[in-house]
Every structure is written in structure tokens, then in C-alpha cells.
Amino acid sequence: MASSAPSSSNDAPDPAPTNLRPTTYDSWCGVAHGCTRKIGLKICGFLQRTNSLEDKGRIVGSLKERQSSKNLLACENSEREARFRRTETDFSNLYARDLLPAKNGEEQTMQFLLEVVDILLNYVRKTFDRSTKVLDFHHPHQLLEGMEGFNLELSDNPESLEQILVDCRDTLKYGVRTGHPRFFNQLSTGLDMIGLAGEWLTSTANTNMFTYEIAPVFVLMEQITLRKMREIIGWSNKDGDGIFSPGGAISNMYSIMAARYKYFPEVKTKGMAAVPKLVLFTQNIHYSIKKAGAALGFGTDNVILIKCNERGKIIPADLEAKILEAKQKGYVPLFVNATAGTTVYGAFDPIQEIADICEKYNLWLHVDAAWGGGLLIANSVTWNPHKMMGVLLQCSAILVREKGILQGCNQMCAGYLFQQDKQYDVSYDTGDKAIQCGRHVDIFKFWLMWKAKGTVGFENQVNKCLELAEYLYTKIKNREEFEMVFEGEPEHTNVCFWYIPPSLRGMPDCDERREKLHRVAPKIKALMMESGTTMVGYQPQGDKVNFFRMVISNPAATKSDIDFLIEEIERLGQEL
Amino acid sequence: MASSAPSSSNDAPDPAPTNLRPTTYDSWCGVAHGCTRKIGLKICGFLQRTNSLEDKGRIVGSLKERQSSKNLLACENSEREARFRRTETDFSNLYARDLLPAKNGEEQTMQFLLEVVDILLNYVRKTFDRSTKVLDFHHPHQLLEGMEGFNLELSDNPESLEQILVDCRDTLKYGVRTGHPRFFNQLSTGLDMIGLAGEWLTSTANTNMFTYEIAPVFVLMEQITLRKMREIIGWSNKDGDGIFSPGGAISNMYSIMAARYKYFPEVKTKGMAAVPKLVLFTQNIHYSIKKAGAALGFGTDNVILIKCNERGKIIPADLEAKILEAKQKGYVPLFVNATAGTTVYGAFDPIQEIADICEKYNLWLHVDAAWGGGLLIANSVTWNPHKMMGVLLQCSAILVREKGILQGCNQMCAGYLFQQDKQYDVSYDTGDKAIQCGRHVDIFKFWLMWKAKGTVGFENQVNKCLELAEYLYTKIKNREEFEMVFEGEPEHTNVCFWYIPPSLRGMPDCDERREKLHRVAPKIKALMMESGTTMVGYQPQGDKVNFFRMVISNPAATKSDIDFLIEEIERLGQEL
């Protein structure tokens, strides 16, 4: 049914990681893929050639485990592992208090959870079924009034488990199928089955990342995965740092905190009043740097926006000019945020030239690769597996080249949590690196997906999305119904375009046309949501009026779904 | 099997929410419970008496839905809802790429997910089985070396689904059963079955809280639940604010940001350099305020610690003295954090007296009720349902009395996300209130638990934990093997005590005894983890040497588990 992993080809370049400064997207990708292939070859070669006892032992152990797992699967209703079968159960007289840990609650519990699973499996099945809608749209007031008995209000008294199951069905019914092959609305789309299994397990394990004590396996998985990510980025020192955080905005916030602490460690105790007036530089495309600037006490006035070219890439000369201008005014430039794959255009900032400027002025370079990912030159990197890699929300990592900064920056040494007299190596208690105290287990689903797909699997998945973006671009670029927002091929999976309704075709560019065109995308989007057939984002950007931003990160999408989107936009927009 | 909800009694006081300033725990509890009962009566009475068409319609609708749900459950293999049965499947030749969205991947996908569910159901079953261990402890290097084929390293090539299932089993095998009736190690314990179902559904829905567009139902559930929580707190104005955040530390951070923005809105644009030297006040028990102080640019030196009495409660006179001292030095007092249920002692700060001081000096009063919850007087409150209420991790809310501050403080108006020309009421796009961009759906499991238990169910659950704490206290307070850390009954479920091994009994208090006693709890804890029978926390506190801190938030725990813990500590400590 399925073959083993594809063999790696040997024709990729083999660059030394420290000298890599790809400037174009092609070289950037080439290097990233080359690096990936190289790691693949190394591991494959290693497994084929090695005869060391340890590795033999590991392979044999793994085979043994498989064997025992087979036995286990075959062993129906053994004492150790029960197999659960659903039976018809009347939930109308059962309540939450009848479930475990209630006495004799096991059977009801298993039946209830199996019933929930049935609802979820039906949802999963429909998610991938193109004959179903992406959403069944209702306005807030409609849902608040209660749709066909779906009552959102909370009450003092319990509802029966039967009603709880109905609530679960209704919650899914009135929601949005973000894994539907025709959901293109956000950067995070798709519903990965391994990731889903991982998240179900994570919920069931219900633990907390702050100490090794209560999350031993997850803490190690995080450490191993962060190291792997740093290797792929290309950082040569083994001792970098990082942590999974609740999303890219928080990862970016960590990068600013790390930079500030690195250059001005006294800020931790004395605050912003004790340091010079610091400024941060970024392009205007994502608000997370401004948000973090406000939160961390820099002030948004001190987040200086760098000009971009027509493709949405930072103009390095403008960055340098603004650094000099800030210095002349008595400010101290601290930090530059470059983006690898911007939110709207999917643009890659010229990382190498920015890195040179940062080196010249001794600034911290952070790369927000939340959407792009890959191989980079930076002091820190934000990498969101929940975007391009299709991991379930939430899954974002902040990676720092230098070890110890996160710990130094955030450590408060709470004695009640991070006791130093534990019996194990307490350096595995990672909680004091975080700005959170408790921290959700975001690692397992990602680790499990990596196990199940391998690096090559992720590579194929990303490549497929890139190919679909190219397909879309090629298909619409020369048609009168569409107009591209910028010239040239997309660098990422973002394809930005206007739909030109019949009434505006051939009309010369003027204020009237611009005003009318500005209203086209919102109208089509509203009709699209009403009909529930597909979802795609739109926004204005700088002096550009509202345009569609198509993004492809959903592994379920195929060329037919791209075709459908185009036809649907034309269908909904033909009367405008 | 199960009866309907217990009837509410009518003997509770009926206080006006605005005048409530309970000072003792008893009055505090009485008011909180009274309030709850009152709400219960109102709703019950309303349902019994009302004859309005709308409510009749709602009830009839709900009954209809139940009926149709029954039909649906009875309708095996209908076209709309399939019922899934597990069959023996060979996963050794199947890979992630064979699952949906792969063509013809449906059957494999369902079988794979059902197999995962079987693993999880077995784990759930064992979690509540007292004959199983709480954990099977291994040191980091042991797990990293690979236990019986459990290899944590990531590779380029995919693993078969069979191996993925083994990985899932192993991950649970080497983890910690935080829902085990004898796991007392953290404030968050237990594994609630409704919460688990909610979290599985949340993972499957895999969406993001930032806009109504893609999370319509969850956004409304959050709004309704936050309003309910504000009602229970007792805030009389309807227009408070709040948001669910990734944990109590972040919720506390929000409170400081809200206070700063309220008094000095210019901080958002101009940063900390433009405002006076601000100071924050808190007691020393939880590091989150210090952590937030460092992150937000106040500096930890400007987080002033207030003295506590022997029960771990803030001494109001010391707060006032320190406010005056700071003012005399030219600092501007901004914010006081009071705690309702401290982490170690479970102490309740004297909220009323602190509120009076805050009113006198015009300071923001935040109450960290992460562990305590309840009815409070404050400008903002942190309330962590993932602690005392047993909701699965993560689930924390920041509640603000005044509407609009979170939005004003954090809003950046990103045009690509929060378009103002959408067809629905965009005030439901809550993303710009958060410091995050994407935000995990933490609300659904909580909402579903509330539905399933009702307010009365949560009340019973908390009462049961309080009773168990009293049972433990009464049992050990007069025994020579134990010494209480402070006199008097516990205020919360925290019971703090030393175990006195035979060799130290009768020895007068001296440095030698103190040094020896300091090493007792870590040794017992290490032996406890090795034997895997139970888990409880310990720490030093101020001038007190290491003591055990027993906390009860696990609804699965019974008196027998408390007995077991005491016996186990005695068994492990008798040779010390």
C-alpha cells in the first residue's frame, strides 16, 4: 500500500553552514533543501553502514517492541490492555458525575468518550469531503439567540451527557472547517492526522512543561526538537537555546527581551528607566513587533518602520539611514526584525544585507520566520510549525543562537517550583526560561509528526504547497478578470491579486475605480461566507486597495481546489 | 443511575454584590456560595415560572434536538453520520502519507485514530486505577539513551504508523499520571472526562481565537463565560472585560499592562522613559509579578515585596508604609497584587483592607485568584480554571472591571487581520485585545464542563477538596511524626507540614536539627518518585526549612488516598 521513504538524491550542494548567506529565494531554498538532503543522507548512510553494538541494540529493541506491540494488538481483552467497543448507551439519564472517577464509572466513561470520538471522526471525514461546506455562517446575534436548541448560556444545574453530546455536535456544526481543502483564509490551515493524534494524547496526558518532574518525556522531546531546528537553521554551535511559546507574537517578544538583556542586562533589575532610549527596527507588515514594543516598555514610537520595495522587502539602504538618524538623535538602536515570508506578500527580506548592517552597528538580528522557516543567519529566529508545516495550533518556537540568555533574562528562581535539591539533573527543569509559569505541551504533536513524516515528508509537503501557489499564479496572471498586486512570481505560497468585475474591466486607473475595486473583495468574501463554499483572506496594504491574499499551507488542497477558488470568485463577483 | 441536579436551599444570605467585603475565609466563602446559590435559585425559579414564548420555544427546541439526537444515535450507518468500528489493521506498512487527505485514505485514517483512542482509553482507565503507579521514573540520560526501543531522536525518513502507535504508548508509559488519585504534586491535578472530551474536540476543530470569522462559536462561548465569571466575582457593571490567556503568569502580566495603560496611556507610544518611575507591590510568594515586572520594563528592583504574617498573608500596615516610603523617594506607586489562595500556604490576603489602601492612594488593585477564585473587590482578577476547578491545562482568564482597557492597551489595528469592512459585527473579533496574535482555544473544554456540571457541580467539587484538606489537617496535627508549618486550620486546600523522622523526634530546635530536617523532604520525595506510588510537592519558604505542601485539587482523591499519602511518607521516612 505504501512504500518506504523515498531515496535521497546526492546532487544537492553541500555548503558549510557558517558561510551560508543566500540572498535570493532560490538560493535560500536550495541551501535549505540541500542541508535537509545532506542530513538525510547522513542518517541513511549511518544506518546502512554502522555495525556498532549500541545501534544494533537500538534497532533490535525497536523490532522487539514492534513484535510485542503486535502481540498486544492481537490480544483482545487482555488484563493489561482492554479493547473498547461501543454499545448503544442511553446518555439521557447520565451526568458528568457518573463518569470516572465515580465509582463503577468506567463503562459509562468509555462509552461517553467513544461517542465523542464518533462525533469527531465524522467531523474529520466531512472535513476532507469537498461536497461539504467550509462553514455554515451565522451572525453573532443569531448564535446568541440560540440556534435550534443550541444554547450557549451557562447554568447552575448540570446538563445530561446526551445534551453534552448534542452541544459537541452543534459546536462543530456552527464552526469553521479549517482543515477543509478549500479553506485558504489563514496561514494556519489543514488538519494533520498525526498531529491530531498527538494533540489528543497531549490532552489526555494533561501535564505542564515547567519541570522535568512532571513532563519528563515532553521536556526531552522539546530539547531534541529545538536542537534539530537549530541544526536546520544552520547554527554551528551546539549550545544554542530556545523554547516553545504560545504563538509567533510571543516568540517575537522573547527575541526582543533576549536582545535587551544581552546588551543591557541591568534592565532586568532596574527597568527601562536605567537604560538609554532604545529603538527597534522592523517592516510594517506584522504588528507583533509593535505590540511587543508597547508591552515591554519601549513604546510604539520607538519601533521604527523600515521602507519596503514593491515586493514588500526591506530596503537595506533605508534601514541603514534610519539607524544613523536614530543615533544622531541620541537613541540607541538595539534590534532589527527581518522577515522570512511576510504575512501578506510572503516576501523574504534580504537577510544577508540586513545581517551585514546589523554586524556593522552591533545590533541583534531577529528573523521572524514564523511563516517561512528555513536556514538563516540571525541571533534569534521565530519558527511557527503551526503555519507552513501544518502542525495543529498552537506550535511556535523561539530559537536563540546563544545559550543561557533566556534563562538569564527570565529566571526568578522560585524555590517552590525549581528546587535545586531534587534527585535528578535539574537543568532539565525548563520553566524558568519562560515568561509563563505553567506552559502547555505544544511539542508532542510536532515531534510525532516529524517521526511519522520524517524531514523528507515535511519537505514534500512544503514543496507541494509551493507548486500549487505557482499553479495559481500561472493560471491567473494573464487573465483580464484578475490583476496581480505585484509583478513576478510569488516567493512563498502567498499569491496576492485583485478580481476585476466586468463593470471595472477596461476602466482606466482613477479614484473612482480604486474606490469601487476596494469594495469588491469584501463583497465577494461576504458572499463566499454566506454560501460557505470556500474562504480566502483579503486586506488593503499601503496604497493598495483591498486585494485577495491566497495562501496555501493546507496539505489537503489540490489543483482542483485552486480551480474551484478562481471559479467561485468569478461566480460571486460577476454581478459587481 | 443518576439523579437530576440537587435542589438549592434557600437559607443562604443574599448580599448586595457592591457592599461585599468579606475579610475572613468563612465570610468570603459564605458570600461566594450564597451568591452562587442565589444565581441557582434565580435560574431554577425562572425556568419553573416563566411562560414566555421565547423560553418555551427554547425548551421545546432543546427537546426536539434531543429527540433528533436519539434518532441519530439509533441510525446506524446512515449517510450523514457514519459509525466507526475498529477492525484489525496492519499498520506496519502504512505511513502518515496514507492517511487523509490521501486518496482513499479514509478507512486507514479512521482505523489509525481508533487505535490511538484505544491507547488513550486504556491510559484513562489506568489513571484512575489505584493499583497502578503514578509514574515510572527515569533520569534524563536514561530516556535519552533510548528505553527498550523508545527512540526520541528525529530522523529524515518516516516511521510506520505501527511505530508511531508504539511511540504513543511509550510516551504515556514514561510520563506522569497527573490525573492519578495519588498525584498531589501541583495545583493542577486530575483528569476531568468532560474537559478531556472538550479538548479532543478543540484539537479537532483546530482553529484560532483571533477573529469571529474563523472561531464564531468559541468567541461567543468565551464572551459568555467571561461575563459569567465577572458576575460571580460580583462586579455590578455589565461592561467589564477579559480574555483567556496562556496561564496565570500571562494573566498577571495583562493586569500590570492594563494598570499602566489606565494611569499612563502615553506609555503605549512613548515607552517607560516617558512616565515616572513606577513601582509595583506584591507579596513574595509567586514569581509571576516579578517576572512581568522585568519583562514589561519596570525592573525587579521596582517590584516591592510586602511583609506577610506567619500565615503568609500581607500585613496591610507594611503595604501602606512601603507605599509612603516609595512616594517619599520620588517613585509613583501604581499597582498592588493581592493573592486569594497563595501557592504554598493557600493563604488569602486581607483583600478588604488592601482595597481600602488602594482606594486611599488611587492604586490599581489586582487579585491573583489563580488558585483561589471567587468573589472579589479589585480592578482586575486572574482566575485559573485549570487549578481549583480541574479544567485541563491550559485555562486561565484575566478579568478587568472596566471595559476597553485591554483593547486600548494592546490594539494595533492590523489591516490584514481585523478588516473593518466585514459583513458581521467586528466587535466580536477579539484578537486585538491580546498580546498574542493567534490564540489557542482554551474556552471550549471549560464551557463544556460548566454545561455538564453546572455551577453547583463545580461548587461540590471544590467543597470536596476543602473537606479532604481538613481531614488531612485533623489527622496529622497532633501526631509526633508530623509538625505543622503554621498554627490553625488551612484556609484553602494547602496543608503544609514537616515529617519528623524517628531520629529527630524529641530533639530540641537547633541548627543541627534544622539542617537535618531540611534534607528529609527531598529524600522522601526522591524515594517516592523512584517507587512511583504518589507525588507531593515540597519547598523551603522564608526561614522555614523544606516542608511538604499537600494540595488537593484532584476530584479523584478520597480519604483513602490521604491516608495512603501519610502512610507512604512514614514508610519512606522511617529510616531517615
Side-chain angles (χ1 to χ4, degrees):
Chain A
M1 187 168 300
S3 61
S4 64
S7 62
S8 307
S9 72
N10 201 6
D11 54 6
D14 188 347
T18 44
N19 294 328
L20 296 177
R21 294 209 169 182
T23 48
T24 66
Y25 173 60
D26 277 352
S27 69
W28 191 90
C29 266
V31 170
H33 292 175
C35 174
T36 301
R37 287 204 193 109
K38 194 180 134 202
I39 293 172
L41 276 173
K42 266 189 191 165
I43 293 174
C44 295
F46 176 76
L47 283 178
Q48 283 153 17
R49 283 195 305 262
T50 185
N51 274 316
S52 81
L53 192 63
E54 188 198 334
D55 284 275
K56 261 196 179 163
R58 188 174 295 169
I59 293 162
V60 171
S62 166
L63 289 174
K64 267 192 191 160
E65 187 71 18
R66 279 192 198 196
Q67 201 56 43
S68 75
S69 129
K70 259 191 189 149
N71 292 343
L72 196 132
L73 290 180
C75 159
E76 187 93 2
N77 289 320
S78 77
E79 200 186 315
R80 300 297 302 155
E81 295 282 325
R83 312 220 78 180
F84 301 101
R85 298 252 179 245
R86 225 175 46 192
T87 55
E88 290 305 322
T89 307
D90 178 6
F91 293 104
S92 63
N93 277 317
L94 289 174
Y95 289 84
R97 59 175 169 268
D98 302 314
L99 302 179
L100 286 173
K103 217 177 157 177
N104 302 323
E106 190 173 304
E107 178 58 21
Q108 289 98 297
T109 303
M110 296 305 142
Q111 291 305 320
F112 171 71
L113 290 176
L114 285 170
E115 200 65 43
V116 171
V117 167
D118 208 65
I119 293 169
L120 300 182
L121 292 182
N122 269 296
Y123 178 82
V124 166
R125 194 171 62 95
K126 285 183 196 157
T127 288
F128 294 102
D129 176 357
R130 289 182 176 78
S131 73
T132 65
K133 283 180 162 192
V134 171
L135 79 163
D136 182 11
F137 179 76
H138 294 85
H139 286 278
H141 69 89
Q142 294 173 306
L143 287 172
L144 287 171
E145 283 156 11
M147 302 290 299
E148 299 172 49
F150 184 33
N151 178 7
L152 291 169
E153 291 296 330
L154 299 167
S155 77
D156 271 18
N157 293 318
E159 285 186 354
S160 72
L161 295 184
E162 185 173 1
Q163 184 58 41
I164 292 299
L165 292 167
V166 171
D167 289 340
C168 287
R169 276 193 200 89
D170 285 344
T171 299
L172 292 171
K173 181 176 168 189
Y174 297 108
V176 176
R177 298 205 172 125
T178 59
H180 194 289
R182 290 170 185 165
F183 178 80
F184 304 110
N185 204 64
Q186 314 294 140
L187 302 182
S188 313
T189 63
L191 183 59
D192 188 273
M193 290 299 114
I194 304 290
L196 183 63
E199 196 69 344
W200 286 359
L201 186 146
T202 302
S203 317
T204 313
N206 191 33
T207 194
N208 196 316
M209 290 296 285
F210 51 33
T211 61
Y212 179 84
E213 190 170 317
I214 63 163
V217 180
F218 299 130
V219 163
L220 297 177
M221 284 172 174
E222 181 173 65
Q223 192 195 55
I224 284 167
T225 308
L226 288 168
R227 197 181 61 218
K228 185 92 180 172
M229 292 169 87
R230 290 195 303 268
E231 278 170 22
I232 290 176
I233 285 169
W235 288 337
S236 51
N237 63 335
K238 285 224 130 196
D239 282 342
D241 206 350
I243 197 165
F244 279 79
S245 92
I250 304 290
S251 291
N252 285 343
M253 184 184 274
Y254 272 113
S255 74
I256 300 173
M257 291 171 65
R260 183 173 68 176
Y261 181 74
K262 169 76 176 170
Y263 287 89
F264 301 97
E266 66 272 24
V267 80
K268 183 176 175 181
T269 50
K270 311 228 172 291
M272 291 294 275
V275 299
K277 286 199 77 173
L278 304 172
V279 287
L280 315 170
F281 299 88
T282 188
Q283 59 153 301
N284 196 17
I285 198 53
H286 197 279
Y287 64 70
S288 63
I289 301 294
K290 273 177 86 174
K291 234 173 205 191
L296 302 178
F298 292 84
T300 52
D301 287 354
N302 300 312
V303 179
I304 296 175
L305 302 181
I306 314 158
K307 271 190 205 149
C308 291
N309 66 16
E310 75 291 349
R311 291 294 295 264
K313 296 161 175 286
I314 279 178
I315 301 169
D318 188 63
L319 169 62
E320 187 157 18
K322 286 193 169 131
I323 289 171
L324 291 171
E325 192 186 329
K327 285 164 85 88
Q328 275 161 8
K329 287 185 182 162
Y331 291 87
V332 174
L334 174 73
F335 169 101
V336 176
N337 175 57
T339 309
T342 59
T343 309
V344 177
Y345 285 2
F348 288 75
D349 283 332
I351 311 280
Q352 183 185 352
E353 289 160 82
I354 295 171
D356 288 343
I357 294 170
C358 287
E359 202 177 343
K360 184 171 170 188
Y361 296 99
N362 190 27
L363 309 188
W364 183 284
L365 173 58
H366 175 67
V367 178
D368 181 356
W371 172 228
L375 186 85
L376 296 156
I377 318 253
N379 297 88
S380 56
V381 172
T382 291
W383 180 343
N384 282 8
H386 69 214
K387 289 182 177 163
M388 202 63 215
M389 296 173 89
V391 179
L392 275 70
L393 281 163
Q394 58 193 33
C395 192
S396 170
I398 171 71
L399 298 144
V400 182
R401 186 186 281 203
E402 186 179 330
K403 194 176 181 170
I405 292 190
L406 288 178
Q407 186 83 7
C409 179
N410 295 314
Q411 186 170 46
M412 295 291 158
C413 299
Y416 64 87
L417 194 52
F418 308 117
Q419 303 91 337
Q420 296 304 300
D421 47 10
K422 289 180 186 173
Q423 88 274 31
Y424 61 84
D425 178 355
V426 293
S427 71
Y428 287 92
D429 287 351
T430 58
D432 227 7
K433 287 204 292 195
I435 55 170
Q436 299 171 261
C437 175
R439 190 160 59 91
H440 189 257
V441 178
D442 294 331
I443 184 61
F444 180 66
K445 57 194 165 191
F446 184 33
W447 179 91
L448 197 68
M449 282 172 70
W450 206 318
K451 279 272 179 186
K453 293 167 192 281
T455 316
V456 291
F458 277 125
E459 195 181 337
N460 292 341
Q461 191 174 310
V462 171
N463 282 345
K464 198 188 140 202
C465 292
L466 288 167
E467 282 159 23
L468 284 181
E470 207 182 315
Y471 173 78
L472 169 61
Y473 168 75
T474 307
K475 186 157 176 154
I476 64 172
K477 67 176 170 178
N478 291 322
R479 285 176 55 183
E480 64 164 358
E481 299 92 329
F482 296 95
E483 196 177 314
M484 306 310 293
V485 174
F486 51 79
E487 295 293 309
E489 295 211 355
E491 296 199 315
H492 206 321
T493 75
N494 310 47
V495 181
C496 297
F497 62 90
W498 289 282
Y499 169 73
I500 314 292
S503 63
L504 294 183
R505 284 175 210 157
M507 189 190 284
D509 189 21
C510 61
D511 283 354
E512 190 198 339
R513 183 179 185 271
R514 288 166 50 82
E515 276 164 30
K516 284 187 171 164
L517 188 55
H518 188 58
R519 291 195 295 268
V520 169
K523 275 185 197 158
I524 292 176
K525 174 70 178 278
L527 293 168
M528 196 181 264
M529 285 178 70
E530 299 286 348
S531 66
T533 48
T534 179
M535 276 178 89
V536 60
Y538 75 87
Q539 66 283 298
Q541 172 86 5
D543 58 354
K544 319 277 195 201
V545 300
N546 277 323
F547 56 87
F548 286 112
R549 177 206 57 170
M550 174 69 175
V551 279
I552 300 155
S553 63
N554 190 339
T558 63
K559 287 182 182 172
S560 75
D561 298 308
I562 307 292
D563 295 341
F564 179 85
L565 177 80
I566 296 171
E567 285 157 22
E568 192 66 359
I569 289 175
E570 290 177 326
R571 182 179 77 83
L572 299 169
Q574 64 189 352
E575 305 293 328
L576 298 179
Chain B
M1 189 167 298
S3 61
S4 63
S7 62
S8 306
S9 71
N10 201 7
D11 54 6
D14 188 347
T18 43
N19 294 327
L20 296 175
R21 293 206 169 182
T23 47
T24 67
Y25 174 59
D26 276 352
S27 70
W28 191 89
C29 266
V31 171
H33 291 177
C35 174
T36 302
R37 285 203 195 112
K38 194 180 133 205
I39 293 170
L41 276 173
K42 264 189 193 165
I43 293 173
C44 295
F46 176 75
L47 284 178
Q48 282 154 17
R49 282 195 305 263
T50 185
N51 274 316
S52 80
L53 193 64
E54 187 197 333
D55 284 275
K56 260 196 179 163
R58 188 174 292 169
I59 293 163
V60 172
S62 166
L63 289 173
K64 266 193 192 159
E65 187 70 21
R66 280 192 194 194
Q67 201 53 46
S68 75
S69 129
K70 259 193 188 148
N71 291 343
L72 195 135
L73 290 179
C75 159
E76 186 95 4
N77 288 320
S78 78
E79 202 186 311
R80 299 297 303 156
E81 294 282 326
R83 311 220 77 180
F84 301 101
R85 297 255 177 242
R86 228 178 42 193
T87 55
E88 290 304 321
T89 307
D90 179 6
F91 292 104
S92 63
N93 276 318
L94 288 174
Y95 289 83
R97 60 175 168 269
D98 302 315
L99 301 179
L100 286 173
K103 220 180 154 168
N104 303 324
E106 190 173 304
E107 179 57 23
Q108 289 99 297
T109 302
M110 297 304 142
Q111 291 305 320
F112 170 72
L113 290 176
L114 285 169
E115 199 65 42
V116 170
V117 166
D118 208 66
I119 293 169
L120 300 181
L121 292 182
N122 269 295
Y123 178 83
V124 167
R125 194 172 61 97
K126 284 183 197 158
T127 286
F128 294 102
D129 176 358
R130 290 183 175 78
S131 73
T132 64
K133 284 180 163 192
V134 171
L135 79 163
D136 182 11
F137 179 75
H138 293 86
H139 285 278
H141 69 90
Q142 293 173 307
L143 286 173
L144 287 171
E145 282 157 11
M147 302 290 299
E148 299 172 49
F150 184 33
N151 178 7
L152 291 169
E153 291 295 330
L154 299 167
S155 78
D156 270 19
N157 294 317
E159 285 186 354
S160 73
L161 294 184
E162 185 174 0
Q163 183 57 43
I164 291 300
L165 291 167
V166 170
D167 289 339
C168 285
R169 275 195 200 87
D170 285 344
T171 298
L172 292 171
K173 182 177 169 187
Y174 297 109
V176 176
R177 297 205 172 123
T178 59
H180 194 288
R182 290 170 185 166
F183 177 81
F184 304 110
N185 204 64
Q186 314 294 138
L187 302 183
S188 313
T189 62
L191 183 59
D192 186 273
M193 290 299 111
I194 304 290
L196 182 63
E199 197 69 344
W200 287 358
L201 186 146
T202 303
S203 317
T204 313
N206 191 35
T207 194
N208 196 316
M209 290 297 285
F210 50 33
T211 60
Y212 179 84
E213 189 170 318
I214 64 164
V217 182
F218 299 130
V219 163
L220 296 178
M221 284 172 173
E222 181 173 65
Q223 192 196 56
I224 284 168
T225 308
L226 288 168
R227 197 184 59 217
K228 185 91 178 171
M229 293 168 87
R230 289 195 305 268
E231 277 170 21
I232 290 177
I233 286 169
W235 288 337
S236 51
N237 63 334
K238 284 224 130 196
D239 282 343
D241 207 351
I243 197 166
F244 279 78
S245 92
I250 304 290
S251 290
N252 285 343
M253 185 184 274
Y254 272 112
S255 74
I256 301 173
M257 291 169 66
R260 182 173 67 176
Y261 180 74
K262 169 77 176 169
Y263 288 88
F264 302 97
E266 66 274 23
V267 79
K268 183 175 176 182
T269 50
K270 310 227 173 293
M272 290 293 276
V275 300
K277 287 199 79 174
L278 305 172
V279 287
L280 315 171
F281 299 88
T282 186
Q283 60 154 302
N284 195 19
I285 197 56
H286 197 280
Y287 65 71
S288 61
I289 300 294
K290 274 177 85 172
K291 235 176 204 189
L296 302 178
F298 292 84
T300 52
D301 288 353
N302 301 313
V303 179
I304 297 176
L305 302 181
I306 314 158
K307 272 191 204 148
C308 291
N309 68 15
E310 75 291 347
R311 291 293 295 264
K313 295 162 177 286
I314 281 178
I315 300 170
D318 188 64
L319 169 62
E320 186 157 17
K322 282 187 172 137
I323 289 171
L324 291 171
E325 192 186 331
K327 284 165 85 86
Q328 275 161 8
K329 286 184 183 162
Y331 290 87
V332 173
L334 175 73
F335 169 102
V336 176
N337 175 58
T339 310
T342 60
T343 309
V344 176
Y345 286 2
F348 288 74
D349 284 332
I351 311 281
Q352 183 186 352
E353 290 160 84
I354 295 171
D356 289 341
I357 295 171
C358 287
E359 203 177 341
K360 184 171 171 187
Y361 296 100
N362 191 25
L363 309 188
W364 184 284
L365 173 58
H366 175 67
V367 178
D368 181 354
W371 173 226
L375 186 81
L376 296 157
I377 317 254
N379 298 90
S380 56
V381 171
T382 291
W383 180 342
N384 283 6
H386 68 214
K387 291 182 176 161
M388 203 62 214
M389 296 173 88
V391 180
L392 275 70
L393 282 163
Q394 60 194 34
C395 192
S396 170
I398 170 72
L399 298 144
V400 183
R401 187 185 280 203
E402 186 179 331
K403 193 175 183 172
I405 292 190
L406 288 178
Q407 186 84 5
C409 179
N410 295 314
Q411 185 170 46
M412 295 292 157
C413 299
Y416 64 87
L417 194 51
F418 307 117
Q419 303 91 336
Q420 297 302 301
D421 47 10
K422 291 180 185 174
Q423 88 275 28
Y424 61 83
D425 177 355
V426 294
S427 71
Y428 287 92
D429 288 351
T430 59
D432 226 7
K433 287 204 293 195
I435 56 171
Q436 299 171 262
C437 176
R439 190 161 59 92
H440 189 257
V441 178
D442 294 331
I443 184 61
F444 181 65
K445 56 194 166 192
F446 184 33
W447 179 90
L448 197 67
M449 282 172 69
W450 207 318
K451 279 274 181 186
K453 292 168 194 281
T455 315
V456 291
F458 277 126
E459 194 181 336
N460 293 341
Q461 191 174 310
V462 171
N463 283 344
K464 199 188 141 202
C465 292
L466 288 166
E467 283 159 23
L468 284 180
E470 207 183 315
Y471 173 77
L472 170 61
Y473 168 74
T474 307
K475 186 158 175 154
I476 63 173
K477 67 176 172 178
N478 291 323
R479 285 176 55 183
E480 64 163 358
E481 299 94 328
F482 297 95
E483 197 177 314
M484 305 310 294
V485 173
F486 52 79
E487 295 294 309
E489 294 211 357
E491 299 200 315
H492 207 321
T493 75
N494 309 48
V495 181
C496 297
F497 61 90
W498 288 282
Y499 170 73
I500 315 292
S503 64
L504 295 182
R505 284 175 210 159
M507 189 189 283
D509 189 22
C510 62
D511 283 356
E512 190 197 341
R513 183 178 185 271
R514 290 167 50 81
E515 277 164 30
K516 283 186 172 165
L517 188 56
H518 188 58
R519 291 195 295 269
V520 169
K523 274 186 196 155
I524 293 177
K525 174 70 177 278
L527 292 168
M528 196 180 267
M529 284 179 70
E530 299 287 348
S531 65
T533 49
T534 179
M535 276 177 90
V536 60
Y538 76 86
Q539 65 284 299
Q541 173 85 5
D543 58 354
K544 319 276 194 201
V545 300
N546 277 323
F547 56 87
F548 286 112
R549 177 206 56 170
M550 176 67 176
V551 279
I552 300 155
S553 63
N554 190 339
T558 63
K559 286 181 182 173
S560 75
D561 298 308
I562 306 293
D563 295 340
F564 180 85
L565 176 81
I566 297 172
E567 285 157 22
E568 193 67 359
I569 288 175
E570 289 178 326
R571 182 179 76 83
L572 298 169
Q574 63 189 352
E575 305 291 329
L576 297 179

